[in-house]
Amino acid sequence: MSPQMIDRLIGAFLDTLLMVSASAGIALLAGIPLAVFLVTSGPGGFFPAPRLNRALGALVNGFRAVPFIVLLVALIPFTRLVTGTTIGVWAAVVPLSISATPFFARIAEVSLREVDPGLVEAAQSIGASRWHIVRHVLLPEALPGIIGGFTITVVSMIGASAMAGAVGAGGLGDVAIRYGYQRFDTTVMVAVIVILVALVSVVQVTGDRAVRRLRAR
Amino acid sequence: MTGAAVIRLPQAGAHAAPASQAAQARRPAGSVRFQGLGKTYVSSAGEVQALQGINLDIEPGEIFGIIGRSGAGKSSLLRSINRLERPSEGRVLVDGEDIAGLGEAELIRLRRRIGMIFQHFNLLAAKTVRENVALPLRIAGVPQDEARARVAEVLRLVGLEGKEDTYPSRLSGGQKQRVGIARALVMRPEILLCDEATSALDPETTLSILRLLRDINRRLGLTIVLITHEMSVIREICHRVVVLEHGRIAETGPVWQVFAQPQHAATQALLAPLTRALPEDLSARLRDRAEPGDWQVIELPFTGEAAPDLAVLAQGVRLVQAQVDPIDGHAVGRLVLLAPPELDPASLSPNARRLGHVATND
């Protein structure tokens, strides 16, 4: 491989890293409140808002039903509105986080629902407000599951980010398509695959280790 | 009550006046009054009446037991005291105040005066013992150094010093319940609700937790309301008991009375595991009609009052079986005697009852 290609790979790797971590951060910040809302506003929850709950649930399902590559294109006007451009890393962050947020919210929702209702009852019995219950019971108790779900989200975002080349965002997927596929450069293809596998492994192992540490308490 | 014949056991004074001790220790708070309480659930199978027409007074400083088979409505009744469940009709008064109308902030204040412990402990797995116990204080905004001192104080009270930094998953069932008790007591409540608090524990641990509850009741003078399906728990620590059956009060009264003279079939069923049956060889040979030379099998119940003079046993009467328990200072149980044919059971005691006749080789 030429030195230029190595530089190109490093640049693509950093682009992927930036795209994924920025979108993952947004998905985390938006997904957890969304999950908490989905759990607590449902029937029998303690912030009952059944209509809003149903509407948000439908919206989440809608976004999850659309394949990422379609979402990427369909969101172009919105992306331009937010970032002022439709190409580059930041233009990819918009659809990536919009696709990852509902995905992550659903996984976090499952973990939150699995918190023993007895713990919520115990918290009510000590005079906890609804906000205290979210803050001191639901989130900490569901944390291992939420972190496990976040790991899955990040891994699937690494995969999705490869498609971001379609809006000229660069990244490893873009390099693999342009050089590895279209120019038959097998070495580049293999290098990209090795980097992606390593990246996914690091994310997965880190996530698993965090979950194990929390569960071992 | 015939009065004169009541057998008072040495421990009689021990439980005798918890309410008055409590009154001296603090203002007499911690009363609960149910007025015409009813609870109806709507389920897929239609309406279910979990509770109906409950009228009951729980006095400050007493240990009050609620017993019944599963589905009898115990849990709904207990949870109506801190409004974890809302009754469908009737009122719940805590220290004279109707709690139905409380807003969210007032309800939180009420719950801080009422501690609660649970069958499955319900401790937060993500928090250490200290953090679990400190949570009520933290939520209530108690300053940190005061909170620290109070956590240390309740952990000492429940015998868990040295476990502050342990996570609940590393504790035994008994220790977990002690953490639960510490968490319930840290706000210095006037009422402690116990939801099947010992049902998940082995017999030895159950006993130690019940002793701890009794000790807390005496030392702090707080009212304890507990639900259980085990009469042995009621016998161990309660002063008064209510038996629920299908959402209604089957009977209520001082524990020794309910044990001595259970009026309702539900109570008798609950007491059955604690009552020893006749020895098998005797019950097999028992017959209703006397044959010549048969002796009588006589049951002599002790009901905490009108206990017969044991001197009567000297007149050729033999003791076959005896079970007498001191409950809250009263003797409760029965003797089974073998008496010669000519003896009139009524001469032993007006309560004596002939169970049958049996051949004897004597």
Side-chain angles (χ1 to χ4, degrees):
Chain A
M1 249 188 308
S2 63
Q4 291 100 312
M5 186 50 80
I6 290 174
D7 282 350
R8 199 170 283 131
L9 277 172
I10 290 173
F13 175 70
L14 293 177
D15 279 352
T16 295
L17 219 54
L18 181 62
M19 269 189 289
V20 170
S21 42
S23 326
I26 293 170
L28 188 69
L29 290 178
I32 286 181
L34 183 58
V36 168
F37 183 81
L38 286 172
V39 170
T40 57
S41 66
F46 43 78
F47 293 110
R51 220 172 279 165
L52 194 54
N53 179 278
R54 267 197 303 275
L56 262 178
L59 193 70
V60 164
N61 289 343
F63 273 105
R64 293 210 41 215
V66 179
F68 179 67
I69 190 77
V70 177
L71 198 67
L72 193 69
V73 179
L75 281 175
I76 282 176
F78 180 71
T79 305
R80 183 181 290 124
L81 197 74
V82 174
T83 60
T85 171
T86 57
I87 51 168
V89 168
W90 293 104
V93 166
V94 173
L96 261 179
S97 34
I98 287 179
S99 129
T101 301
F103 180 78
F104 172 59
R106 279 291 186 217
I107 300 180
E109 184 192 352
V110 170
S111 301
L112 288 167
R113 278 193 202 287
E114 273 168 9
V115 173
D116 180 359
L119 299 183
V120 174
E121 198 179 40
Q124 287 173 324
S125 81
I126 62 171
S129 67
R130 297 178 288 186
W131 164 243
H132 284 139
I133 293 173
V134 171
R135 157 95 177 68
H136 293 290
V137 180
L138 289 184
L139 288 176
E141 294 295 316
L143 193 61
I146 290 176
I147 289 180
F150 187 62
T151 309
I152 296 175
T153 308
V154 172
V155 168
S156 77
M157 283 168 84
I158 292 172
S161 75
M163 293 176 223
V167 291
L172 289 167
D174 181 42
V175 172
I177 299 276
R178 277 195 291 137
Y179 297 87
Y181 176 61
Q182 288 164 354
R183 297 191 193 175
F184 305 104
D185 190 339
T186 313
T187 324
V188 172
M189 194 61 124
V190 169
V192 167
I193 290 173
V194 167
I195 296 172
L196 282 175
V197 167
L199 183 59
V200 167
S201 304
V202 166
V203 169
Q204 190 65 51
V205 166
T206 311
D208 287 349
R209 200 170 287 173
V211 172
R212 217 173 313 123
R213 264 234 321 272
L214 288 174
R215 288 212 201 275
R217 298 192 294 205
Chain B
M1 250 228 237
T2 49
V6 172
I7 296 185
R8 281 257 159 201
L9 291 148
Q11 303 98 306
H15 292 183
S20 63
Q21 284 172 2
Q24 285 164 9
R26 50 193 290 169
R27 69 197 166 86
S31 75
V32 181
R33 166 172 288 186
F34 300 103
Q35 289 179 331
L37 198 75
K39 171 87 187 179
T40 309
Y41 289 103
V42 182
S43 76
S44 53
E47 290 199 343
V48 181
Q49 282 251 300
L51 289 172
Q52 44 189 321
I54 304 288
N55 289 298
L56 209 56
D57 277 313
I58 300 174
E59 304 291 336
E62 75 173 328
I63 304 184
F64 190 89
I66 301 171
I67 189 164
R69 290 179 265 207
S70 47
K74 315 183 283 284
S75 177
S76 296
L77 188 58
L78 189 78
R79 281 168 169 67
S80 71
I81 299 174
N82 61 356
R83 227 178 79 186
L84 285 177
E85 275 189 38
R86 272 175 172 282
S88 329
E89 56 196 74
R91 305 203 296 167
V92 181
L93 307 179
V94 175
D95 290 335
E97 182 187 18
D98 185 350
I99 64 167
L102 300 181
E104 188 171 348
E106 294 163 307
L107 184 61
I108 284 173
R109 235 170 292 136
L110 173 82
R111 285 176 177 163
R112 287 177 184 160
R113 282 160 45 205
I114 304 178
M116 187 165 184
I117 59 175
F118 302 86
Q119 178 175 6
H120 298 296
F121 325 120
N122 296 357
L123 303 176
L124 300 173
K127 291 182 163 50
T128 61
V129 167
R130 189 203 311 278
E131 290 164 343
N132 265 286
V133 175
L135 188 59
L137 299 167
R138 197 169 156 201
I139 283 170
V142 172
Q144 275 215 327
D145 13 325
E146 192 195 334
R148 251 188 135 59
R150 275 166 72 173
V151 169
E153 179 192 318
V154 285
L155 284 178
R156 199 160 48 240
L157 181 70
V158 301
L160 277 182
E161 300 114 308
K163 296 280 181 196
E164 290 84 353
D165 297 315
T166 311
Y167 283 96
S169 59
R170 307 247 183 251
L171 298 175
S172 71
Q175 289 172 325
K176 284 180 191 167
Q177 196 55 287
R178 283 168 193 270
V179 178
I181 293 171
R183 179 176 67 182
L185 292 181
V186 79
M187 292 302 287
R188 300 184 177 143
E190 56 203 46
I191 302 174
L192 177 63
L193 308 179
C194 309
D195 177 12
E196 297 271 9
T198 57
S199 299
L201 303 175
D202 62 58
E204 201 185 329
T205 316
T206 293
L207 220 60
S208 77
I209 293 293
L210 292 179
R211 291 210 182 102
L212 174 63
L213 289 175
R214 186 163 56 204
D215 184 48
I216 286 163
N217 166 260
R218 283 197 204 136
R219 295 232 303 244
L220 310 177
L222 85 177
T223 311
I224 296 183
V225 185
L226 63 86
I227 64 178
T228 179
H229 58 271
E230 288 170 310
M231 271 295 195
S232 55
V233 169
I234 301 281
R235 181 177 64 190
E236 194 61 34
I237 64 167
C238 290
H239 305 122
R240 289 198 304 139
V241 64
V242 63
V243 181
L244 290 185
E245 176 79 346
H246 303 311
R248 294 171 187 273
I249 294 180
E251 66 184 286
T252 178
V255 170
W256 67 270
Q257 256 176 27
V258 171
F259 268 72
Q261 289 171 318
Q263 305 294 319
H264 197 278
T267 320
Q268 286 156 7
L270 288 162
L271 279 171
L274 293 183
T275 317
R276 233 179 294 166
L278 276 187
E280 209 166 305
D281 66 320
L282 187 69
S283 63
R285 290 176 2 215
L286 204 64
R287 51 191 170 217
D288 292 339
R289 279 245 182 109
E291 309 232 334
D294 271 7
W295 280 44
Q296 314 172 66
V297 179
I298 295 172
E299 180 193 58
L300 204 55
F302 283 70
T303 56
E305 52 184 56
D309 185 349
L310 290 180
V312 296
L313 299 187
Q315 304 168 351
V317 175
R318 286 155 199 232
L319 179 60
V320 176
Q321 190 184 44
Q323 182 183 15
V324 178
D325 288 304
I327 300 177
D328 209 8
H330 300 268
V332 174
R334 67 167 188 176
L335 301 186
V336 178
L337 307 169
L338 211 53
E342 66 280 2
L343 185 116
D344 176 14
S347 73
L348 296 173
S349 151
N351 295 335
R353 197 165 69 88
R354 185 163 51 218
L355 299 175
H357 304 270
V358 71
T360 165
N361 8 352
D362 293 328

